[in-house]
Amino acid sequence: MSLNVLIVDDSSAIRKILQRVLRQVEAPISEIFEAADGVEALAVLESQKVSFVLSDINMPNMDGLQLLSEIKNRVEFRSLPVVMITTEGAQNKVLEAVNLGAAGYVRKPFTPEQIKEKLVGIV
Amino acid sequence: MILFGKGFIVEELLEKNGYVLRVVEATTIDTFATMLGMEVKPTAMTVETKNTTSNAGLMAVLGMAGAVSGSGSLCMSEKLACRAASRFLMSDYSEVNDEVLDAISELCNMIVGGLKTTLEEQYGPMGLSMPTVVYGKDYLTRSSNLGRRINVCFQCTDDNFSDEFYVGVCLITENSNRSYLSELAAFHARLAS
């Protein structure tokens, strides 16, 4: 089984860090896609086979919670695990993400181990 | 070398505004340690006595709006920015480029995001703007006339490298329209005393 991951973050720095972390995870990851906001992410999901999504919340055009809502409202994507990785630590945002169906939540700043732990749990 | 402007060190500031400033200290120390593996120590606080501050290097700024409004900023020299970005992205950067600018704006996002989360617990919901990063020499910044910026200064030491940077906050509480002006006046009085 090979996994394709989609990283959604408007910061190229964070996308680069997550790429490195994912390459270190002992999981059969074959492709890593990137998107800078929710709109780009949906375009990737419509054209590529993605196994799970790592998404920021605060992004232009379409934020991470809107993206999560879109994913969970569409039958073809509904079972896709989405882990939120964000500076948003407010209880209401965490609850909103959980209620919308997020598979996990990691707060920035994060260690590579925290990301690996979440991914291993999902994989 | 960062120019801290025409500020003055206020020893009692920590006591009077300790809540916010301690959060700034803690989130900055945590962000540098977790994301960069760099140890930073708070050294001083300065308050803007006038609305303009001279700067050299990079300044990343994020706006906050809601129960507490204002901005948070991270200001550092080019040298430190390259060093921090090299640690952050695990690549070598000897000069400022788009990746360095993005790394510093993301660090600012993490620090101000941590501050926002803590303030929300006490004051209520707030929103964060997208980060903006300014890079250049001999430029001026101006905080809102409604508030004054407090700069928390840090010393960063990494092997043989050492430099200073600061995190600035300019905040105004706004619990209700009726109390807004009186709170604003009280806020200024606290800063001025």
Side-chain angles (χ1 to χ4, degrees), chain B residues 165-180:
Chain B
F165 68 97
Y166 70 83
V167 177
V169 286
C170 178
L171 302 171
I172 302 164
T173 59
E174 192 176 342
N175 286 340
S176 70
N177 287 335
R178 290 185 67 187
S179 65
Y180 176 62

Side-chain angles (χ1 to χ4, degrees), chain A residues 9-14 16-17 20 24 56 58-60 87-90 92-93 107-111 114, chain B residues 30-31 34-35 88-91 93 98-99 102-103 106 109-110 113-114 116-117 120 125-126 128 130-131:
Chain A
D9 201 307
D10 55 327
S11 164
S12 64
I14 291 296
K16 190 171 180 181
I17 290 169
R20 283 182 187 275
Q24 293 166 3
D56 187 18
N58 291 321
M59 294 180 291
T87 52
E88 278 290 354
N92 60 329
K93 294 280 186 185
R107 269 198 67 189
K108 297 176 187 172
F110 56 78
T111 60
Q114 286 172 304
Chain B
D30 181 40
T31 300
T34 306
M35 299 308 298
F88 196 44
L89 302 174
M90 291 173 272
S91 301
Y93 297 98
D98 283 350
E99 291 191 336
D102 197 43
E106 188 54 38
N109 185 35
M110 290 179 189
K116 170 195 164 273
T117 299
E120 279 181 321
M126 293 160 61
L128 269 188
M130 298 297 161

Side-chain angles (χ1 to χ4, degrees), chain A residues 3-117:
Chain A
L3 302 167
N4 296 337
V5 187
L6 170 59
I7 299 169
V8 192
D9 201 307
D10 55 327
S11 164
S12 64
I14 291 296
R15 296 200 304 269
K16 190 171 180 181
I17 290 169
L18 289 174
Q19 281 256 11
R20 283 182 187 275
V21 172
L22 289 172
R23 297 288 179 206
Q24 293 166 3
V25 176
E26 287 178 17
I29 292 171
S30 55
E31 279 212 72
I32 301 173
F33 303 105
E34 292 188 14
D37 59 41
V39 176
E40 281 187 20
L42 284 176
V44 173
L45 290 174
E46 284 163 0
S47 61
Q48 306 290 340
K49 188 163 172 48
V50 173
S51 315
F52 60 89
V53 179
L54 300 175
S55 178
D56 187 18
I57 288 186
N58 291 321
M59 294 180 291
N61 301 323
M62 181 190 286
D63 70 28
L65 292 175
Q66 288 173 303
L67 171 64
L68 179 60
S69 177
E70 280 284 331
I71 289 172
K72 296 302 170 186
N73 283 329
R74 288 168 68 161
V75 179
E76 66 270 35
F77 304 140
R78 194 166 289 163
S79 59
L80 195 60
V82 182
V83 174
M84 313 307 291
I85 301 176
T86 176
T87 52
E88 278 290 354
Q91 200 68 20
N92 60 329
K93 294 280 186 185
V94 179
L95 280 175
E96 194 177 345
V98 170
N99 290 336
L100 285 170
Y105 202 99
V106 178
R107 269 198 67 189
K108 297 176 187 172
F110 56 78
T111 60
E113 287 67 34
Q114 286 172 304
I115 303 291
K116 287 176 192 170
E117 203 174 285

